[in-house]
Amino acid sequence: MDLSANGVFDVRERFAAGAQYIDGTLCVGTSGRPHPVVAPATGETVYSYDLAGPGDVDAAVAAAAWALPGWAGATPGERSDAMHRFAGVLAGRAAEFAYAESLQCGKPLRLTTEFDVPGTVDNTAFFAGAARHLEGRAAGEYSGDHTSYVRREPVGVVSSITPWNYPLQMAAWKVLPAIAAGNTIVLKPAELTPLTSLMFAEAATEAGIPAGVVNVVAGAGKEAGEHLVGHPDVAMTSFTGSTAVGRRVAEIATGTVKRLHLELGGKAPFVVFDDADLEAAVHGAVAGALINTGQDCTAATRAYVQRPLYDAFVAGVADLFSGIRVGDPFDADTDLGPLVSHAQRDRVAGFVGRARSYATVVTGGDAPASPGAFYRPTLVTGAAQDSEIVQSEVFGPVLVVLPFDSDDEGLALANDTPYGLAASAWTRDVFRAGRATREIKAGCVWVNDHIPIISEMPHGGYRASGYGKDMSAYSLEEYTQVKHVMYDNTAVARKSWHRTVFGGR
């Protein structure tokens, strides 16, 4: 396999056996409907596979249900050892994962090599350790006559649906805490980008995690996804994606009384106070807005800049945007790759095109001549707070900048969307920073930075951005049942409370 900048990752050969991973084996989907994997940088179809149908979902759920007793019954140490081996397999195949992720998503190889893949390896190592620390409340005599303690038990078979923007990392965020806690899982990746999810599941089996513990069905949302969420043998669903689709997932899950974890859309504010380090804020905004070509639910999308710094901030961002190198993701000099598809590029262009009627496009706002799904970094000013470009999730390399005067106004504007996933505040004043972290309604608030994530800390939102946590020990709360166990300590046959039922008899 040639992993050089001009090489071709031969997915046709790599996945000749099919693009479903069920009970430890690659197999062909049974829907009878082929689906292409298109390299967004070139528009070339690099692989075509048969989508999963309901029968494949049933088979994957059956495999997960069969594997559940053995995996749930393994000791925490045994699960931990297997997951440490899993981290080692991933690390040993890092170059292959990076190339496949860049090929199917259009991400610069620099990004997948330095961010996506090492982040996934670190996540795996973290949950390998966390598997040994599923603690409950210490035993105690809380009633006086009884000893109580808390057990943490697996939920059961988990279904997870992941998006196309971070296929490898999202697979890890869903699979790892689930299996660390003793569950088994059926993962449905986005149809556009199934490759690294399949490779991730294969690596789990290679590491000695039993067949059936991690399964992947690559199918359409309506056919495979909805069947998976509504499956009666699935105990929990975890979904990452748009708020609109999340509502549909919630409707289906509610019908079968499943546990549900939703990580949905975002519209992250980037609040720059007038005492901020301007250079740091400008560089942070550019990096935070353009990470993964802006296809990140925590990306900086709305910069609110206090009036004294506003003009200089806009000029600084425009200058850096104009120097961003857009192009071949396998070129070491490329800063920004394409969007994931031509349809997504056209969606982003539509937002910008409509904004021209009510705002100013300072720089960008067009696509370079290329067969790929590229779009230039775009800076917009002069938009009203209630405009579409400010309120809706664009999911592309677009940053809107608005001014504010008082601190009260800036924080109010930051909270003035339905979302609440992430935000950042830029200031040298510890009291301003403290106020911002308290008052901004978001699951993560950075101070003088935007985007960094770490395995030890939770990721998840407020309001229309969903509920529940990925990563960190907090995510294990999503994937465990809490059971209270109570022992009588008295050996008395006739308890005093019995008289409430049958008096003094």
Side-chain angles (χ1 to χ4, degrees):
M1 182 181 301
D2 184 1
L3 297 179
S4 68
N6 296 315
V8 175
F9 182 76
D10 189 356
V11 293
R12 294 179 179 88
E13 179 181 337
R14 177 70 172 74
F15 295 105
Q20 316 300 325
Y21 195 74
I22 300 173
D23 202 20
T25 303
L26 284 170
C27 54
V28 176
T30 61
S31 71
R33 293 191 295 115
H35 193 281
V37 175
V38 177
T42 63
E44 175 192 0
T45 296
V46 296
Y47 180 58
S48 182
Y49 68 97
D50 288 340
L51 292 166
D56 302 304
V57 172
D58 292 341
V61 172
W66 184 88
L68 179 64
W71 184 247
T75 67
E78 289 168 338
R79 290 199 296 268
S80 176
D81 287 347
M83 293 182 71
H84 276 299
R85 294 194 299 270
F86 188 11
V89 172
L90 295 172
R93 295 173 56 192
E96 181 182 347
F97 273 96
Y99 195 87
E101 194 80 335
S102 291
L103 181 69
Q104 68 178 354
C105 299
K107 299 168 184 273
L109 191 61
R110 189 196 316 158
L111 177 66
T112 58
T113 301
E114 298 180 12
F115 182 73
D116 296 70
V117 174
T120 299
V121 174
D122 184 73
N123 247 228
T124 308
F126 171 82
F127 279 107
R132 304 186 79 135
H133 295 283
L134 294 171
E135 297 177 348
R137 186 180 295 275
E141 287 66 53
Y142 297 97
S143 79
D145 291 337
H146 306 83
T147 295
S148 289
Y149 68 89
V150 169
R151 288 177 55 89
R152 285 199 176 274
E153 297 179 349
V155 173
V157 176
V158 174
S159 68
S160 288
I161 300 176
T162 53
W164 44 255
N165 59 333
Y166 288 104
L168 177 60
Q169 287 195 309
M170 292 297 99
W173 287 15
K174 302 306 184 187
V175 168
L176 297 171
I179 67 172
N183 303 281
T184 56
I185 191 166
V186 179
L187 177 76
K188 193 203 88 63
E191 306 96 294
L192 293 174
T193 54
L195 303 181
T196 49
S197 297
L198 293 164
M199 293 163 61
F200 189 73
E202 285 184 305
T205 303
E206 183 181 338
I209 294 173
V213 172
V214 180
N215 307 273
V216 177
V217 289
K222 286 286 186 183
E223 187 175 14
E226 293 196 2
H227 187 63
L228 178 60
V229 174
H231 200 288
D233 294 332
V234 168
M236 174 190 167
T237 290
S238 178
F239 170 80
T240 294
S242 72
T243 298
V245 177
R247 290 191 185 100
R248 176 60 181 156
V249 170
E251 289 174 3
I252 298 169
T254 300
T256 51
V257 199
K258 284 181 171 55
R259 182 179 291 199
L260 186 61
H261 167 209
L262 298 174
E263 197 267 271
L264 307 178
K267 191 71 178 175
F270 187 101
V271 184
V272 182
F273 294 97
D274 58 12
D275 67 329
D277 181 326
L278 179 62
E279 181 182 14
V282 166
H283 281 80
V286 172
L290 301 184
I291 181 76
N292 200 35
T293 318
Q295 299 168 123
D296 187 309
C297 49
T298 64
T301 58
R302 301 178 289 138
Y304 297 101
V305 184
Q306 206 152 25
R307 191 89 52 183
L309 295 185
Y310 177 79
D311 289 340
F313 179 89
V314 170
V317 170
D319 182 59
L320 285 182
F321 267 21
S322 65
I324 294 294
R325 295 165 295 195
V326 179
D328 178 2
F330 297 107
D331 185 331
D333 291 331
T334 293
D335 299 317
L336 198 74
L339 291 151
V340 74
S341 67
H342 288 83
Q344 180 64 15
R345 183 200 60 189
D346 294 345
R347 179 180 180 275
V348 172
F351 274 101
V352 176
R354 291 188 295 273
R356 291 182 188 276
S357 66
Y358 57 79
T360 300
V361 176
V362 177
T363 187
D366 63 344
S370 168
F374 295 95
Y375 198 77
R376 297 187 200 280
T378 300
L379 177 63
V380 177
T381 61
Q385 175 65 16
D386 62 357
S387 62
E388 179 191 52
I389 199 79
V390 174
Q391 292 291 323
S392 298
E393 190 173 30
V394 177
F395 228 56
V398 179
L399 176 65
V400 184
V401 185
L402 297 87
F404 70 91
D405 292 304
S406 69
D407 290 16
D408 288 348
E409 180 190 12
L411 294 174
L413 291 169
N415 285 327
D416 185 28
T417 71
Y419 300 105
L421 186 59
S424 63
W426 297 75
T427 176
R428 291 183 172 96
D429 187 321
V430 65
F431 298 104
R432 265 179 162 168
R435 181 186 177 191
T437 60
R438 290 191 303 272
E439 295 187 13
I440 293 177
K441 295 179 175 65
C444 174
V445 181
W446 293 283
V447 177
N448 295 328
D449 209 343
H450 195 107
I451 286 297
I453 54 174
I454 49 175
S455 297
E456 291 83 357
M457 288 292 115
H459 175 86
Y462 289 18
R463 304 188 292 177
S465 291
Y467 48 82
K469 299 298 180 185
D470 288 312
M471 297 201 302
S472 82
Y474 290 97
S475 68
L476 296 171
E477 302 284 344
E478 312 295 330
Y479 297 97
T480 53
Q481 299 271 21
V482 174
K483 177 185 287 183
H484 171 214
V485 178
M486 178 180 270
Y487 286 89
D488 170 61
N489 292 331
T490 66
V492 174
R494 305 181 73 174
K495 307 289 195 295
S496 61
W497 70 269
H498 291 179
R499 68 178 181 274
T500 63
V501 178
F502 50 87
R505 288 169 291 166

